[in-house]
Structure formats: C-alpha cells, structure tokens
Amino acid sequence: MVPGEENQLVPKEDVFWRCRQNIFDEMKKKFLQIENAAEEPRVLCIIQDTTNSKTVSERITLNLPASTPVRKLFEDVANKVGYINGTFDLTWGNGVNTADTAPLDHTSDKSLLDANFEPGKKNFLHLTDKDGEPPQMLLEDSNNVDDSVHDRFIGPLPREGSVASTNDYVSQSYSYSSILSKSETGYVGLVNQAMTCYLNSLLQTLFMTPEFRNALYKWEFEDSEEDPVTSIPYQLQRLFVLLQTSKKRAIETTDVTRSFGWDSSEAWQQHDVQELCRVMFDALEQKWKQTEQADLINELYQGKLKDYVRCLECGYEGWRIDTYLDIPLVIRPYGSSQAFASVEEALHAFIQPEILDGPNQYFCERCKKKCDARKGLRFLHFPYLLTLQLKRFDFDYTTMHRIKLNDRMSFPEELDMSTFIDIEDEKSPQTESCTDSGAENEGSCHSDQMSNDFSTDDAVDEGICLESSSGSEKISKPGLEKVEMAETDQRKDPIQFQLGEPNSLMYELFSVMVHSGSAAGGHYYACIKSFSDDQWYSFNDQHVSRITQEDIKKTHGGSSGSRGYYSSAFASSTNAYMLIYRLKDPTRNAKFLEVDEYPEHIKNLVQKERELEEQEKRQREIERNTCKIKLFCLHPVKQVMMENKLEVHKDKTLKEAVEMAYKMMDLEDVIPLDCCRLVKYDEFHDYLERSYEGEEDTPMGLLLGGVKSTYMFDLLLETRKPDQIFQSYKPGEVMVKVHVVDLKAETVAAPVTVRAYLNQTVTEFKQLISKATHLPADSMRIVLERCYNDLRLLSMPSKTLKAEGFFRSNKVFVESSETVDHQAAFTDSHLWKLLDRHANTIRLFVLLPEQSPGSYSKRTAYQKAGGDSGNVDDDCERVKGPAGNLKSVDAILEESTEKLKSLSLQQQQDGDNGDSSKSTETSDFENIESPLNERGSSTSVDNRDLDQHIQTSDPENFQSEERSDSDVNNDRSTSSVDSDILSSSHSSDTLCNADSAQIPLANGLDSHSITSSRRTKANEGKKETWDTAEEDSGTDSEYDESGKSRGDMQYMYFKADPYTADEGSGEGHKWLMVHVDKRITLAAFKQHLEPFVGVLSSHFKVFRVYTSNQEFETVRLNETLSSFSDDNKITIRLGRALKKGEYRVKVCQLLVNEQEPCKFLLDAVFAKGMTVRQSKEELIPQLREQCGLDLSIDRFRLRKKTWKNPGTVFLDYHIYEEDINISSNWEVFLEVLDGVEKMKSMSQLAILTRRWRPAEMKLDPFQELVLESNSVDELREKLSEISGIPLEDIEFAKGRGTFPCDISVLDIHQDLDWNPKVSTLNVWPLYICDDGAVIFYRDKTEEVMELTDEQRNELMKKESSRLQKTGHRVTYSPRKEKALKIYLDGAPNKDVAQD
C-alpha cells in the first residue's frame, strides 16, 4: 500500500537530529535564563519573627532576585518558618523604610523592586501577628517530624543510649499523629517552673473536669476575708479563667504555687502526682469549710469500702467502714515475677480475701478462741469520679533501692465496676449476725489487724499545715479511731440506689497521667479526653496537641516477651500512673459553663485578666522595640569609668538618648547637657570607633543597626569642658594614646589621645603627634608598645602604621630631646631603660606592723666595734635639727639604710647571736635592737619619729602588743591562692596620677627613693648568679654562703610614700604606697622595707593578702614579685624569717581518746640536718610558754601527721632531710607518753587497739601496742595480755576510714571484717605497714546484748549524735526527699519548716 502524504514515514535519522536540536534549544534557553538571572540585581531580606508562637524567636535570611513578586516572598517565608501563608504579616523593620509601617500585601504581584526593596542592601522585615492572632503552624506528617526539635515533639524526649523496642512509646521513630498549635486545639499549656510537671498534669486534669471547674467558678472570693495571694481556690479560679480565655501558648503557675506557701526551691522538688492530689484536696476542703463547696471533694471523688474479718467456724464477722479518694492497684504481687495483665485483674486481686490460719489465726469474740478466718475488703460505694493509682513504684529488697515497675497493664476506655460492688452489704450493711458486743462496736476488728494499705491516714502526715488556720478545732479523719462505728445514716447518693439497673456503674476514661523515667525521677504529662468533642489531647507542660486512641494504648507500658522478675527494666519507662474515670450518668454528667452562663464575679475576673494580658502584650511590644546596650562614662571630676545599661526605644532620637544617658549617669550637677555626647565605643580595646555628628535626629534603631539581643560594640557618654570642642571620630581611624617621655626628669606623662589612619606613614604620624604635643617632629623618637613589655622603635619613616603593627587601640611613647642617647642602640639607650622600668613598675600597699622592737621594754642593744650599749631611754631620745624640728624622712631613711647594711655585715663577721634559731617572736626580739635607736649616734632616730613621718593621718604612737607567730598562723587559712591575683598584667599608667601630673621616676630626684636602679639588658635575659634556684627543697636563704646579704646584690626601682587608707580598709594603721619593679626579688624587697619596719629583714615576715582577706606568707626569697599586680596588698608581721634549710612546721597534739583527737599547739622552725631530739629540745620552752605544757624530753614523741591520721613515730636519732622528708608547711603530731618510750627501732610497729564489748554495747579507750614484728600471732598474744581474753577467743578487725575510725556500736559487730585469715599484718585485707593503724578486737564467746525497740532507738540517737559531732557518717543515706506540704496561710512557719 502506498502511504498518503499525511501518513508519510519520517526517516529515523531525521527524528534523531530533530530531538537533538530540541534538546540543544532547551539548554540554550536555560543558559540564557541563568545568565540573565546572574545579571539581575538581588535583594537581601532579613526577617525577624517577633511573634510568641515559638519558644525561640527565629531569624531567617532570603536572597531573592529583584523581580520576585511580594506574593512569592510570603510563600518562601512561610515555608522557612513553618507557618500557614496568610496567617501572618510582614512589616518594615529597622534599617530601611522605617517610616512605612503598614504591612505588606501577601497577595501582591508587585516585584520587590517596585515594593521599595533596595537591591544590594539589607532589607529588615518583622514577622508579626495578623489582626492580633498569632500565626498558625503548618500541619506536618508524623513521619516527617524532626524528633530533635523539642517544641515539635509531644511527650517525653528519648534519652541517649536508651534501649527501646519497636513498640516503645518513647522510641526515636515515634511521634504523635499530629502536632497543632494552641490556635488549632483551642487549649493553653502550663509553663514548667523547673520540676513542676506533676502539678501541671493534675491542674490540666481538674480544668478538663466539667463538674470540678463549674463548682470552682460558682465559689466567690471575698476580699475582706482573705488575702487573694494566699487563697488557693481564688488562684485556681484565676488559672482556669486564663486557661479558658488566654491567647498565650502557655501560662505560668507561680501564683498558684505561691498560694500553696511554696518558695522557688519547691519548683526544684519533684513529687508524686497522687500525693499532690491527696494534699491539694485536703487543702481545698479546709478552705471551703462552711461554704457551698464544703463537701465538693467527697461528692465527686469519695467512695466507701468495708474492711472485714469473718470467722470460718461460727460465721461471726467484725468489720468497719472506710472511705477512699483513690484505689491503689498493685502492678505485680509481692514475690511474683508476673504482673497483672489489666486493671480489672488488679481490682479482683484487690478485693480477693485471704485466709488467716496457723499462727495467723483470728481470735473470735463469739467462739472465745483463735479460729481460722477470712479477711478482705468489699466495695460498698464507688464515687462519681473514680481515681485509680497504678502502684508502679516499689522497693527492691535485693538491691535495697526503690525501683519502678514498667510492666504492661492494660486499661479499658469503659470500665464496668458493677462486678466489684458488694450488693449484699450495700443493701444491708449489718446482714451478718453479731453478738451484742459486736453490734455495739459494729465489728470488733482492730485497725492493726486490717489489711488497709490503701489508706494512709493512720499516723501519716497529710501534708496540710493547719497550725496557722483561723479555727482551733481539731480535725478528725476517717480511720484514725481504733474501731470506727459503721455509718447508719444513708447519704443521698444516686449510685447506692441504681444497683439493679444495667450499666449503672459503667465508667468512661477521660484522664491518663503518664510518668516517664525511673524511681529516681522523671517527667509527668497528661492525656485527657475533652467531653466537648470526645477528642484526646496531650497536655505536656506548655505543649498541647491532638492525639489518638492508639497513642493512649502506648501508655499501657511493658515490652514484648517475658524477661523474668526484672522484665520491667527492659520495658518502656513511659507508662500510665493515674487513671481517672467518670460515671456515665446522663442525669449527672455536666457540660462546661458557657460564657453567658458565668457568674457575675467570673465575668468580672475574665475582663480583668484580659486587660492584664493586653497590658502585658503592650509591654512585650515595647520590650521588643527597645535597644539595650552597655553605656560607659568617664566621670569628669572623679575620673572613674562608670558603667550602666542604656535601654532606649528604637524610635527615640540620638538627642533624646543623650539626655537619658546624661540623667542615668547623674551628671546634672556636674556638667551641662550640651557638653555631653554619645559615641560608638569598644570597651575591650578601649577604642572610640566613631562619633555621630549631624545625626542628632536619627532614630537609635537605625544608628545601632536594629534591636538586637547583644551588640558587638558599646556606647560612651563623652564629656568636654565648656571651653573645648568635641573631636570628630571617623570610621576607619585608629586611636593612639601618646605618652610624652622626659629623659632628663625621667618621667612619663599622662596620655594624650590622637586619631590616625592605618595607611599613614611614620613621618605623617610624627607630624600628627607634633601638633598634639608641640614637640619637634625632626628629633622625635616614637616607641610602640604592641603588647606587654614589647617595645618597638618606629625607625622606618616610609613604613605605614599598619605595617608597623598598629591596631584599633594603641599606645606609644614619644621623646624629642637632642641628646647623644639618639645615637645608642635602642636596647642600650636611656629611653629603653626608662620605658622598661615603667612597664615593670607596679603599685603595692604595704601594712606595717602595729609595734616595733624599739618599743619593747626588755632588750639588749647590739655591740658595735668601739661602742657600748646604752639605756633604752637614751636610745629612744628624739633627734632634732638646728631649728628644733624633726629630721626629714629622706635623711632618716638614707642614714638608717646605710646603718642596717653595715650592721648586717658586721653581725655576720662578729658571729653575733642576733639570728639565733629561737622560734617565738618574744625570744626573737629579746636580743635585737633596731640600728635606728643606737645610743650616741647623732643620726639615729626613734621609730616613733619615723612613724610621725610615715603615718600622716595618726601622729600618735602605736601601742606595743605582743603577738606570737603561732597565733597568726593558727588563724590563717591554708587554702590555695586565687588565680586572678597571679596575673602579672598591670596598668601602664601606674605612675600617672589622677590630675595628670608628672611623677618623677628617677631615684636621685625623689627624696624617698632608697636605691638607684641598675638595669640589665633585655637581650641578655640573665639573672644574677644568686638569683637561681636553691639546692635544697626548703625556703630560700636570705644570705649566701659568704654571709653577704643577698638583698645587697641587686638593685631595682623602689619608691615608698606614706599612705592614708580608705575608710574600712585599715584606717588607723601605718600604710605605705610602694612603687616597685616587679622583677625585684623578695629578698631585695624586704631589704628596702627595713627602714620602715625598723628591724632587719631576717626578723619580719611578708604576707600577701588576697581578695577574700586571707593572708599567706611569701617565703621564697629568690623569687621575684612578678606574680603581684597593681594595688595588691601586703601585710608585714614581726617574727624571724626562715633561713636556708629551715622549714616552718605546724605542731599539733595527738589526743587519741578525746572527741577531737587533733589540737593545734604552735608553729615551730625545724632545720635541715637537725635531729628529732634537737627539735624536741627547742620545743620544750615554747610548749611551756605558749601552751602551758611542762614536759621533759623523754615524756613526749613526735610522729608523722597525714591529715588527721597519726603515722610513723620519729625516733630521737632521726635526722631531718636524711631520715625524715620535710617540706614547706609541714605538719607533725606531738604525743604525750604515759610512761617510758617503747619505740626504740624502726623495725617495731606501733598499733592503736580498742576493745569492743558486745555484751555491754560499748568500746573501750585506745591502748597502744608496740610489736616487734608484723606477725598476727604476736598481735593476738599482746591483745590477750592486755585484755585477759584467752588467746583462742581473740578476734580482731582493722578500722576503716580516717583516725579514729569511728563506727556505730550498732554496726561494728557485723560490718567489720573480723578475724581475717592471714599470718602477717602487711598483706590483704589488712595492709598494715606503718605505725598508727587502728585495730578493734573482741571476745568471740561474748554474746551481743539483746535490745528492745526502745533501747535500740535511744542508742541509735546517741550514736548518730556522737558520730555527727566527730564528722563521721553514720550510714549511707540518699538525698532526702522534701515532704510535700501546702500551707494554708500562704507561708510555712518555723515549726512546720523544721519537720
């Protein structure tokens, strides 16, 4: 067949080429679009979410082509933030178009360019509520929910590493079927204060109970009768009104908890929700007395049951009627590995009777003998609202810990309780035949014979504090009487008379309170069914979401398969804990009150709360538009940098902000307003970034770049004098502080601030400085301090400042004198030495001692060559000049310094005994006289004269007061030093005073400078030879091997001035303000202080004072003061300082049989190479004088002290540092002996033993045993000797813990490891290798005393008190749970708080 034209076949080659051409055309078209898009300008949109729909305010950024329609912008924003498009508005924010405040049209097709968006700039937008309603969240499929987002996950969050099955309620793959915001569900959440999830769950359940809510609304609060803050019903009323009418996502519960009398600490205590329900209901009953709601709790929640015992021989039954508010259901019977499968099964077990037979027989009143009996419970009446508590918390007697049972227990949505009611008893409560006595007592069963574990009323604190209630009536509770009369009056209760009707006891589930976690803690939330729409909701604190019946089933708990008794440990930890059912009775089932049905007082309350909420919303809006930024100001008079926080609305102008800052800094009476301005400031770098000339009317929001939570810069309120003008600060400039150096006067002036650019050359920079300082630029030398003590001479004129290392804020030193110093190398120049000294000089405040040795009445003068000692009165004579005035301080100090140096050398040469090794301060100064008081010297001066010069505020003499070194050290703490004090940073302006006056640094020009400064070159980096580490491990010596004072071998800058301390900082004492080079050694520093202290440096000690006012002695003489910083404080105390090889030792007395076995005695000085006997000889007079202990050398011993534990006994021939390791701040025990020392050799072992007497329940005092070997047999023999116990009956055990190894007499018999099977003491489990071990022993034939409960309790109290006093823990006790209490007066009183 010949094909027609329209049916012509196209060759295959043509098809291929056409397809390829089409593909090329499409690609070309796309490339052109991309190219055009690349050329099109783009708009950067920054959108800030200012609504309260999310817990965290989001900020998103979109970079869109300028041709993008506004409609597309809204769509992109909606997708980004997760809101439904059209439920929010976009308005202009800070930065651009601030005048246009109308929201953008979300349906507009205008391009961004046409809508006034600016390409290439930041366009700030605010996402706001639409018509006052918050945005609606996008509905998300459960499979796509991000489990990592907390506010999108309803229910407990999964824990890391948790074991979870596929059915696990908290597994990672699980989420609720939908997540809806408040606007969708119509319900409001409750904010968790900290650990108040249990409270939130109960409150939401009560709110969703129509009968309870309606009854609460009908109650009216009377202002005249009670404070609204402490009224629990009123605060619940307010909370329910807010839950019903608030537009917030969640509201606070702090007002409710405050009405409970709780403080903020209660928010951190998690309690049981069932316990809270019981306590809250009791509190409401007390508050509602004599009101219409007085019996509300009982009408809604109270049921009745009979507790009975029936004799199986005669049929006599004893019984009593009890009431209940909830039914506790056992999850797993005691000792069983299988849990009950359902609530119905647990209810049947609850009423299942038990047989009392054998030793448990019941004494029948009718039979007059013990008979077999049946004991059980019968339900007589079920409440309208039935509460079931699933007892998931139990106690494991194997591990002795609380556990949670996570076994599965199902519960139906509808529960038929008719099968559990006792119809016979309900019709006739007295159907059983009783004797007269039985009829009289309505059953003769005592309460202690009843298995009434569901009632906790007996002797249990209900948690309601009634002491402060207005009435003094005694409140009786059911079940407290031994035998309660059965109720004969029938209350009006529909349930009791509907037993014959079908389904009359059918209950429907409406609340499941879920617990997730363990017995140690967890999280509560509630699943509640609304009676309005029969929909289930999850109320998880502030999150409310819609859930399904399948989600409820997942709270049944359990896991697949059986794993034995501990199967619940592998199950999901999220399961139902409390169930609340409501009776299905159309005649009683209520609906929530409508708004028009509200009582008048509720309508008023609703209006009041709405007004408050609107006010809060307006306040939040103001807060959202308020810029909060740090504000600094250098006070123009005090010259102190002040700091505050400026809070200014974004629409306020700069001029208005300046006025606010002016008032905030309290400058009204100091300087005119027009002499102030705000500038951009970087406090970290102390850098002025820019000023705002001509922008006085610009809004602060625009100047600061919008409202932000934090700013990367600060503001400075800059001030000027009326005759000055403000300097202009431009962005890009750097700030330079210029210090002018005067080489002749050796001074460094206060800084002058100049502004420069980084691209300026050094030559241009010199010209700039020349204008500011009026120094010639040609001879100017500029030194840049890039960082601490890093000095760089700017010697390249063409180099830029950036290349030289300038940054935002810089410090330079300039000098312009024409001297030969210019020709020297910089590190050898006078300029470098002066700047180096300036950089290392710190200011210290030194507190001098209150007394000086010159004021002691008994002392002996040093003997000088060719001179004799005179009397003290002559020595104390004041030396006056020709005009009768006292000599100047500089003359005194110069003369006394020379005399101190010569005296120190002479003392060493003549072998004077002035540096004896006596330890007490009294003995230190008995043979010491200050050289300032030498008789016959015309240049000598009394210390009191020196005081007149140093202390200008108090010219009176200081009274002498003896204070021993041990007293000081005993009061001084030995904690570690504060790390912030160790910083060596300092202010470079140390030597510049407040009024910018020049302070002379040259020692020769300052009358109070003691020595001249001799500096070594920085590039040498070497210390003097004596300044190296000492060979010994003790304190460094102040004198070298030749006896020459080391303080004389190095001279650093030192300048001291009298100083008057501020009020509260030690006024009335003598203070010095010392400027010193911190590279000076402690030895040299002490040498400089000698004239001011009045004694040689070897006879006073230096203590550093830290921020907590703790003092620590500084003893390393070869260490520098580099760890000190400006304004550190130093205290000088009189007393002999340590020399080479000496150690200060704390001596404590060991009292083995005292309640406090360690008593501090004194501080002593032990020297390297000294024997123990020699140290004992030196201790004897000190012990006699300071401690009142008169001991002979053979009546006490010294032994090692490790905290409170006595250790190795030191023998008399032991040598310190050779046989005994000794270190700084060493401690040693002194033990007084009862007889002759038995320890003669290091092979012996001293053991402390103590006998335990089980028959008397007491411990004997300690006795020491000295063993010749580490044999257990020898220990037994010695124990038998001192106790008289036969050798074969000796049992012993090693004490535990620190000395004295205290243990309760109730625990010692079974807790210690008695009679270990070892032959030597140095093996496990004894490990006794040193002296001081504690051994308890007993007679194994002695029986333990049998104690009554009363005796045991009394003994337990005594032992607890004894062990707490000694600081030993009685037994392990976990963290105590705080009892849950509600205080009816709104606050706990002292007696209740101590319960």
Side-chain angles (χ1 to χ4, degrees), residues 821-856:
D821 194 57
H822 283 249
Q823 301 172 4
F826 177 56
T827 53
D828 294 329
S829 66
H830 187 194
L831 176 62
W832 183 89
K833 293 176 182 178
L834 183 62
L835 295 180
D836 178 66
R837 188 178 72 190
H838 172 76
N840 288 284
T841 300
I842 57 174
R843 182 175 64 183
L844 302 175
F845 293 100
V846 180
L847 175 63
L848 298 177
E850 297 180 6
Q851 71 278 353
S852 65
S855 61
Y856 282 87

Side-chain angles (χ1 to χ4, degrees), residues 250-428:
I251 57 177
E252 298 280 353
T253 58
T254 49
D255 289 339
V256 175
T257 55
R258 192 179 294 113
S259 70
F260 291 170
W262 294 359
D263 55 21
S264 58
S265 64
E266 287 285 350
W268 296 92
Q269 295 283 337
Q270 189 174 78
H271 294 290
D272 187 281
V273 68
Q274 184 267 344
E275 180 187 12
L276 173 68
C277 183
R278 181 78 62 87
V279 173
M280 185 189 290
F281 282 174
D282 285 346
L284 287 172
E285 284 184 319
Q286 296 299 321
K287 289 286 187 179
W288 277 335
K289 277 186 176 181
Q290 300 177 353
T291 66
E292 185 182 341
Q293 289 76 19
D295 205 34
L296 176 66
I297 302 300
N298 292 338
E299 289 176 359
L300 294 179
Y301 296 93
Q302 189 181 84
K304 296 178 186 173
L305 53 77
K306 179 197 286 188
D307 194 344
Y308 70 91
V309 179
R310 174 177 290 183
C311 178
L312 295 181
E313 293 190 14
C314 67
Y316 172 80
E317 181 177 293
W319 52 270
R320 75 172 184 183
I321 304 297
D322 280 320
T323 60
Y324 63 88
L325 295 178
D326 54 65
I327 303 173
L329 299 180
V330 176
I331 298 290
R332 189 193 307 161
Y334 179 75
S336 173
S337 60
Q338 293 295 326
F340 294 122
S342 64
V343 164
E344 296 94 323
E345 194 175 323
L347 281 167
H348 280 292
F350 185 81
I351 60 175
Q352 180 68 32
E354 61 174 322
I355 302 299
L356 303 179
D357 56 5
N360 295 324
Q361 279 187 324
Y362 164 68
F363 184 83
C364 179
E365 293 287 345
R366 179 175 291 174
C367 300
K368 302 299 181 184
K369 65 175 183 176
K370 286 190 173 183
C371 306
D372 290 351
R374 180 184 293 112
K375 179 180 184 299
L377 300 169
R378 297 192 188 105
F379 288 112
L380 301 180
H381 159 55
F382 289 113
Y384 177 69
L385 296 173
L386 179 65
T387 305
L388 304 179
Q389 180 203 4
L390 308 186
K391 299 181 70 174
R392 292 196 174 275
F393 299 110
D394 204 350
F395 191 82
D396 187 349
Y397 288 94
T398 305
T399 62
M400 302 302 289
H401 285 90
R402 289 177 62 194
I403 59 171
K404 182 184 177 187
L405 305 176
N406 293 312
D407 301 79
R408 176 181 176 80
M409 176 176 279
S410 63
F411 45 87
E413 189 172 2
E414 291 191 348
L415 178 62
D416 185 4
M417 295 298 290
S418 60
T419 57
F420 305 104
I421 197 78
D422 192 329
I423 300 178
E424 263 188 39
D425 280 315
E426 191 62 38
K427 290 179 179 177
S428 176

Side-chain angles (χ1 to χ4, degrees), residues 217 220 595-607:
Y217 280 175
E220 185 172 359
V595 177
D596 55 352
E597 298 174 337
Y598 287 166
E600 193 62 32
H601 63 275
I602 296 296
K603 291 180 180 178
N604 295 335
L605 184 59
V606 169
Q607 183 62 30

Side-chain angles (χ1 to χ4, degrees), residues 1168-1186:
K1168 175 182 177 181
M1170 180 187 287
T1171 64
V1172 172
R1173 188 174 184 86
Q1174 288 173 333
S1175 63
K1176 288 167 66 177
E1177 289 173 349
E1178 292 203 1
L1179 282 174
I1180 289 174
Q1182 300 178 48
L1183 292 170
R1184 186 184 305 114
E1185 295 171 10
Q1186 299 183 37

